[in-house]
């Protein structure tokens, strides 16, 4: 009897496991029914066996529906156990050959009492284990998570960044580190009080986590100081992580935090860097991102510094580290080579400040781009400019709306967006509508060399200009092959009602040949001027 009670106890209490799914519960419920039925094998001519099975099935249903109440209540679980024992032992045959069991009235009472005692002791034991597990979990959470903001703790950051850094250096996978703090937070606390400061801290973290959640399913956000935080982005390049970093900054800037009916606004300063091959340990990366955060604060705050180059929200040039150079685009249909536009070419200042270089990433914030364009327009020879955009920038709705609003609010300004690659077709119709409604023209750069016809077919109905680059193909193609390619793209442009423009024109022979043979009069190249910093008249 004790052996059978123990077996029944084991399979019955398996039903109270909180970590099983419905399929697992059905398997365990079937095991309980099998144990009960086993005692009645060869005796199914008795109605008691069916009553017992029906009662046990009902108890299993109650456990499934009220599992939490059963687990958390000593009295509830005791009553259920009594019901279970009384659903089995009173109905077992006096002689069960299948179970090798002979049952007397005294044995039935003993069995019920023993089952209840075992279950009570077992419930008390598991309840204690659950309490210990809960306390352990709470202690782990307290050790690993900040109580105020629910961001991860500094101790967890030290462990995680060490592991991620080692993995990044060993496997060559990218790891980007973003560090930020709340601008003028000490003064904020002094003015509004620490309770308001705590409310803003918690609100900023919630806002940042929501912004990250638009891109990633989970985040690695850590509180490493009073108002300082670090976000880790494993397997993400600087360009990829910067898009999220900008979203974090914009989200906080646009959010109104409230405390005791007072509306509060704050901004962030931020540094962004990636693990480099010459970083010997994670502290090298951490020190660098900390320096970039300090640079953002020195640049006036509300600024992101990406690998040493700062982007201010107000776009003030002296602190951004970026400038637009420009190169003329001319119409050679007449001999005076009329200037009709200028292409903007992004450059960044070298570390020593002596040179202008191609930037590490062209994915700078649209607000900075607009500020740079606005400064160019002050003394520009032409109000028609061409702006290069990466496909990822082009399909960003925030970029589309910001550029469209800027163009529509700037009198006599004409903008052509020059795509450096072919964007994904998703949402293309909507995006093209946003740009075209603002009067922005769309050009595809480097057709036939970088951007091939097959990939461009879905875009051709939206495109206004195709740019064919002579310099990209001149070395690998003779004159005949080059002319064949130019002729092909001239036909594509004509068929789709757009303009073919040729870049990389370096000699008068090039210019004359393009105009006389193909009728291509819109040209760009060193023949008409090299890129230069100023656009003064």
């Amino acid at each position: 009897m004790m052996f059978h009670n123990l077996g029944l106890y084991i399979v019955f209490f398996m039903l109270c496991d909180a970590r099983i799914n419905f399929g697992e519960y059905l398997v365990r419920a079937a095991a309980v029914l099998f144990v009960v039925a086993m005692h009645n094998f060869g005796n199914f001519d008795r109605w008691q066996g069916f009553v017992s099975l029906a009662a046990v099935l009902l108890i299993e249903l109650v456990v499934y529906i009220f599992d939490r109440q059963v687990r958390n209540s000593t009295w509830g679980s005791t009553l259920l156990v009594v019901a279970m024992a009384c659903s089995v032992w009173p109905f077992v045959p006096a002689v069960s050959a299948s179970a090798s069991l002979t049952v007397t009235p005294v044995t039935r009472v003993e069995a019920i009492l023993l089952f209840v005692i075992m279950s009570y002791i077992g419930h008390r034991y598991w309840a204690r284990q659950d309490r210990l597990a809960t306390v352990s979990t709470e202690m782990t959470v307290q050790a690993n998570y900040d109580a105020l903001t629910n961001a991860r703790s500094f101790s967890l950051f030290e462990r995680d960044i060490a592991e991620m850094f080692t993995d990044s250096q060993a496997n060559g996978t990218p790891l980007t580190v973003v560090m930020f703090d709340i601008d003028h937070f000490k003064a904020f606390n002094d003015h509004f009080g620490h309770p308001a400061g705590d409310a803003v801290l918690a609100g900023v973290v919630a806002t940042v986590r929501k912004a990250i959640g638009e891109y990633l399913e989970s985040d690695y956000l850590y509180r490493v100081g009073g108002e300082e935080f670090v976000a880790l982005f494993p397997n993400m390049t600087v360009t990829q992580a910067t898009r999220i970093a900008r979203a974090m900054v914009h989200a906080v800037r646009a959010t109104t935090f409230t405390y005791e009916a007072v509306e509060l606004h704050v901004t962030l300063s931020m540094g962004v860097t990636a693990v480099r091959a010459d970083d010997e340990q994670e502290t090298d990366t951490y020190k660098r991102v900390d320096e970039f955060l300090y640079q953002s604060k020195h640049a006036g705050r509300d600024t992101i510094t990406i690998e040493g180059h700062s982007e201010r929200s107000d776009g003030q040039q002296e602190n951004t580290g970026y400038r637009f150079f420009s190169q003329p685009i001319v119409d050679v249909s007449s001999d005076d080579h009329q200037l009709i536009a200028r292409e903007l070419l992004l450059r960044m200042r070298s570390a020593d400040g002596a040179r202008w270089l191609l930037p590490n990433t062209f994915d700078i914030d649209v607000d900075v781009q607009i500020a740079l364009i606005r400064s160019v327009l002050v003394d520009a020879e032409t109000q028609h400019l061409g702006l290069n955009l990466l496909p990822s920038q082009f399909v960003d709705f925030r970029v589309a709306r910001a550029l469209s609003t800027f163009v529509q609010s700037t009198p006599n300004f004409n903008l052509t967006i020059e795509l450096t690659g072919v964007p994904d077709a998703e949402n293309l119709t909507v995006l093209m509508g946003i740009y075209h409604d603002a009067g922005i023209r769309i050009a595809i750069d480097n057709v036939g060399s970088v951007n091939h016809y097959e990939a461009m077919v879905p875009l051709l109905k939206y495109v206004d200009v195709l740019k064919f680059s002579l310099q990209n193909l001149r070395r690998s193609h003779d004159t005949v092959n080059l002319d064949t390619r130019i002729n092909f793209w001239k036909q594509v442009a004509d068929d789709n009602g757009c303009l073919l423009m040729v870049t990389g024109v370096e000699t008068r022979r090039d210019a004359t040949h393009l105009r006389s043979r193909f009728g291509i009069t819109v040209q760009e190249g060193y023949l008409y001027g090299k890129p230069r910093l100023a656009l003064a008249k």
Side-chain angles (χ1 to χ4, degrees):
M1 178 269 292
M2 183 177 292
F3 172 78
H4 284 277
N5 244 341
L6 183 60
L8 182 63
Y9 165 76
I10 291 173
V11 293
F12 175 68
F13 264 76
M14 287 170 62
L15 296 177
C16 299
D17 187 352
R19 294 172 290 274
I20 59 174
N21 57 39
F22 180 66
E24 291 171 322
Y25 185 85
L26 286 179
V27 172
R28 298 183 184 192
V32 174
L33 291 172
F34 177 78
V35 170
V36 176
M38 180 185 67
H39 294 83
N40 293 278
F41 285 166
N43 296 280
F44 281 116
D45 54 332
R46 301 168 60 255
W47 59 269
Q48 290 92 334
F50 294 101
V51 171
S52 180
L53 288 172
V56 171
L57 189 60
L58 178 61
I59 291 171
E60 291 178 335
L61 183 62
V62 171
V63 172
Y64 181 74
I65 296 174
F66 301 103
D67 62 328
R68 184 179 297 276
Q69 293 89 327
V70 171
R71 288 196 308 273
N72 296 338
S73 170
T74 300
W75 285 108
S77 61
T78 300
L79 289 174
L80 199 64
V81 164
V82 171
M84 183 66 185
C86 292
S87 298
V88 177
W89 287 109
F91 301 103
V92 173
V95 178
S96 175
S98 61
S100 302
L101 187 65
T102 300
V103 184
T104 66
V106 175
T107 306
R108 296 181 195 276
V109 175
E110 291 175 342
I112 292 172
L113 290 175
L114 182 60
F115 187 79
V116 171
I117 292 170
M118 284 192 304
S119 300
Y120 178 80
I121 294 173
H123 179 270
R124 297 288 294 179
Y125 173 77
W126 288 114
R128 181 173 181 274
Q129 293 300 110
D130 283 344
R131 286 195 298 272
L132 290 175
T134 300
V135 171
S136 177
T137 300
E138 291 175 351
M139 292 178 66
T140 300
V141 169
Q142 291 175 7
N144 292 335
Y145 290 86
D146 176 59
L148 174 63
T149 63
N150 202 35
R152 302 179 191 226
S153 67
F154 181 69
S155 60
L156 191 59
F157 165 73
E158 290 183 309
R159 187 193 73 187
D160 288 351
I161 193 174
E163 293 177 355
M164 292 180 189
F165 178 86
T166 300
D167 179 71
S168 175
Q169 294 293 58
N171 301 315
T173 55
L175 170 62
T176 299
V177 181
V178 174
M179 188 176 190
F180 66 91
D181 73 2
I182 302 174
D183 294 327
H184 304 292
F185 192 69
K186 184 181 183 302
F188 182 94
N189 266 339
D190 293 342
H191 182 76
F192 293 102
H194 288 280
D198 289 346
V200 168
L201 272 174
V204 165
V205 171
T207 303
V208 166
R209 297 186 75 174
K210 183 178 179 181
I212 297 174
E214 296 292 326
Y215 296 85
L216 303 172
E217 293 183 359
S218 59
D219 63 73
Y220 293 94
L221 181 64
Y222 308 82
R223 186 180 183 184
V224 297
E227 72 275 14
E228 287 189 349
F229 298 84
V230 170
L232 300 179
F233 296 95
N235 300 312
M236 295 189 73
T237 63
V238 165
T239 297
Q240 293 169 326
T242 296
R243 300 182 69 79
I244 304 176
R246 291 194 187 112
M248 293 156 58
V249 170
H250 286 299
V252 171
R253 187 189 301 131
T255 299
T256 299
F257 303 99
T258 57
Y259 178 75
E260 294 184 347
V262 178
E263 294 187 350
L264 306 170
H265 293 86
V266 295
T267 57
L268 302 181
S269 293
M270 183 176 287
V272 182
T273 191
V275 169
R276 299 174 182 174
D278 58 351
D279 287 345
E280 296 183 358
Q281 49 191 356
E282 65 274 9
T283 53
D284 296 331
T285 310
Y286 183 78
K287 288 177 181 177
R288 187 167 59 252
V289 77
D290 186 49
E291 290 172 359
F292 292 160
L293 170 60
Y294 178 80
Q295 182 175 329
S296 290
K297 299 176 82 66
H298 183 71
R301 295 179 169 82
D302 195 11
T303 299
I304 306 176
T305 298
I306 307 158
E307 296 293 12
H309 296 275
S310 301
E311 296 179 357
R312 283 188 55 163
S313 62
D314 59 10
Q316 290 186 16
Q317 287 192 66
E318 59 269 25
N319 294 308
T320 62
Y322 293 105
R323 295 289 190 278
F324 274 137
F325 279 51
S326 74
Q327 189 167 10
I329 299 171
V330 301
D331 184 348
V332 298
S333 56
S334 60
D335 292 336
D336 58 356
H337 295 172
Q338 181 183 1
L339 175 70
I340 59 174
R342 281 187 174 272
E343 179 184 2
L344 300 177
L345 303 169
L346 187 66
R347 297 293 183 265
M348 69 177 185
R349 192 183 297 276
S350 62
D352 59 8
R355 295 168 297 159
W356 291 98
L357 310 171
L358 286 173
N360 297 325
T361 175
F362 290 88
D363 188 11
I364 67 169
D365 187 72
V366 65
D367 292 338
V368 175
Q369 289 177 314
I370 290 173
L372 293 174
I373 293 172
R374 186 178 283 115
S375 66
V376 166
L377 288 173
V378 173
D379 293 313
E381 303 156 283
T382 174
Q383 297 288 300
H384 191 162
L385 301 176
L387 175 68
N388 288 279
L389 286 185
L390 299 171
S392 58
Q393 294 173 300
F394 182 81
V395 299
D396 188 323
F397 278 93
R398 179 178 171 271
V399 173
R401 295 189 184 101
L403 288 175
S404 298
T405 300
F406 172 59
V407 171
Q408 290 173 317
S409 63
T410 306
N412 303 318
F413 175 48
N414 294 292
L415 180 66
T416 298
I417 289 177
E418 301 184 8
L419 284 169
T420 60
V422 179
D424 295 333
E426 186 178 2
N427 297 323
L428 202 58
T429 302
V430 177
L431 286 160
M432 289 295 186
I434 294 174
Y435 288 116
H436 280 154
D437 287 347
I440 298 174
R441 300 206 307 169
I442 307 298
I444 303 291
D445 206 357
N446 297 324
V447 298
S449 52
V450 176
N451 297 310
H452 300 288
Y453 176 76
E454 293 77 11
M456 290 177 47
V457 170
L459 276 73
L460 289 174
K461 60 183 176 181
Y462 304 110
V463 171
D464 302 291
V465 180
L466 298 177
K467 295 186 69 174
F468 183 93
S469 176
L470 284 178
Q471 67 267 32
N472 286 354
L473 296 171
R474 197 189 303 272
R475 295 178 181 178
S476 58
H477 293 75
D478 58 28
T479 302
V480 175
N481 287 330
L482 204 55
D483 283 355
T484 301
R485 284 178 171 267
I486 295 172
N487 188 64
F488 170 80
W489 284 103
K490 182 67 168 68
Q491 189 63 50
V492 171
D494 292 343
D495 291 344
N496 290 276
C498 55
L499 172 73
L500 180 66
M501 183 176 107
V502 175
T503 68
V505 179
E506 297 179 353
T507 65
R508 293 191 179 278
R509 182 178 179 280
D510 288 339
T512 303
H513 181 68
L514 291 168
R515 182 179 63 180
S516 60
R517 178 162 182 175
F518 303 103
I520 298 173
T521 58
V522 179
Q523 301 176 10
E524 179 183 7
Y526 283 3
L527 176 64
Y528 309 110
K530 295 182 179 181
R532 58 185 174 90
L533 179 59
L535 290 177
K537 292 180 180 179

